[in-house]
Amino acid sequence: VPNLLGPRYISPAPSGGFVVSEECGDVKVFTSSRKLLCSLSSKYGHRFGNPAGVCVDVDGSILVADEQRRTVHLFPERGAPVCLVSAGLRRPAGVACSSFGHLFVADAGENCVKVFKYRVRPP
């Protein structure tokens, strides 16, 4: 996949595609045939500081850690983005989510992994 601006983190998507964060830029979603499906900043009108870790949950929502803004946002397939974590992170880098609604954030600023529950309905 050419023409990425400083690719950093990548995650598979349930559809067979994948999601890539770009340093100081954007997060792009690709199909299984490696074609650009969308840019999250364009689709949602969201401004990233420095997007880092990305993952996709069981509902198909994309979660993105932003190192510069010290946040984690959820981008649903439909609807507006939701800020899941807006405090308590020094330098969020990697993110992962479980099928039980737990969000794991590698905080490089505090040398630890922080665990959050972000989904209240059962899987």
Side-chain angles (χ1 to χ4, degrees):
V1 176
N3 303 319
L4 293 171
L5 301 173
R8 298 188 69 200
Y9 292 83
I10 188 166
S11 174
S15 62
F18 57 97
V19 179
V20 180
S21 63
E22 296 177 306
E23 188 171 19
C24 298
D26 202 354
V27 175
K28 293 185 176 166
V29 182
F30 292 87
T31 66
S32 58
S33 59
R34 299 178 301 281
K35 296 200 187 296
L36 179 63
L37 182 63
C38 72
S39 148
L40 293 188
S41 63
S42 296
K43 179 178 179 180
Y44 293 94
H46 183 83
R47 291 185 57 108
F48 291 100
N50 190 6
V54 293
C55 66
V56 180
D57 71 9
V58 295
D59 295 325
S61 298
I62 299 169
L63 290 83
V64 181
D66 192 320
E67 284 183 333
Q68 183 180 4
R69 298 181 192 264
R70 299 177 180 177
T71 60
V72 176
H73 276 80
L74 178 142
F75 297 86
E77 289 184 315
R78 291 175 185 78
V82 176
C83 184
L84 296 178
V85 184
S86 61
L89 298 175
R90 286 191 45 208
R91 202 171 97 222
V95 292
C97 48
S98 76
S99 58
F100 298 104
H102 289 97
L103 169 66
F104 304 93
V105 182
D107 190 336
E110 293 188 19
N111 296 315
C112 66
V113 172
K114 296 178 178 176
V115 182
F116 303 90
K117 186 160 185 69
Y118 75 95
R119 192 173 57 177
V120 291
R121 65 182 174 87

